[in-house]
Amino acid sequence: MIEKGDFSVYYESRLTGKILISFFRHNDMFNFPLLKERMNPVLEVVALKDAQVWVIDFNFMKSSVKLEDPRNYLQLNFLATTQTQLGNALIRKSLDSKKRILHALVELTEHMALYNQDKVYELPNFMTYELLAEIAGTSRGYTSRILRELRDDNILDSSNRPWIVKDLELLNNLLYEGT
């Protein structure tokens, strides 16, 4: 369980190589084992800034969950979150380069951005051109070009941190354009 900080989580296999699945923040759990035999997925968790996590003993967690969560709400929530993250990773893999960048921006905005008093969305401070390119599976140069187009269309301000998504609806429209 994450006490403080932001993390990126990668999945790696011989078939897929290493892919970025998602990001996690304060109070998120990035591994909630349902069975002891499945506790070691091929995951790499990378802290994006100073971080602190709680590693909970499996037997203690199992007994606590049995006692405190008899209807399995924690496990169901974890499974639903994981399904969404893997679904988004699968969708990104099926899109062309530009749409992968747009999809990653929409996903990050909807799940990690802060909606502020200026009615814009502030993306997390850890967001960089390199990280967005990695999420989208594109080059940094191509990602920069697409972000420049979004800045020119007054959809995004990525010149300073935090990046600001000014018009999420228009960003979504660009993503779904042609479908």
Side-chain angles (χ1 to χ4, degrees), residues 21 23-24 43 45 60 68 96 101 122 153:
I21 296 175
F23 295 98
F24 293 89
L43 296 177
V45 181
F60 173 77
E68 299 293 331
D96 65 43
I101 294 168
E122 292 181 14
D153 292 340

Side-chain angles (χ1 to χ4, degrees), residues 56-129:
I56 302 168
D57 176 72
F58 178 78
N59 290 322
F60 173 77
M61 184 201 70
K62 188 175 170 184
S63 64
S64 295
V65 167
K66 273 185 181 177
L67 191 64
E68 299 293 331
D69 189 29
R71 295 180 190 253
N72 298 316
Y73 292 128
L74 290 172
Q75 289 183 26
L76 290 172
N77 182 57
F78 179 77
L79 288 172
T81 301
T82 302
Q83 180 182 13
T84 301
Q85 292 162 344
L86 293 174
N88 282 329
L90 178 65
I91 289 167
R92 269 196 313 276
K93 283 292 215 185
S94 69
L95 299 172
D96 65 43
S97 299
K98 181 177 181 179
K99 297 246 181 179
R100 286 196 309 265
I101 294 168
L102 297 174
H103 184 273
L105 279 172
V106 167
E107 182 183 353
L108 287 165
T109 302
E110 289 177 342
H111 298 289
M112 297 196 79
L114 297 173
Y115 189 68
N116 70 20
Q117 69 271 13
D118 296 329
K119 298 188 177 173
V120 295
Y121 296 87
E122 292 181 14
L123 290 171
N125 280 327
F126 62 75
M127 187 50 51
T128 63
Y129 288 90

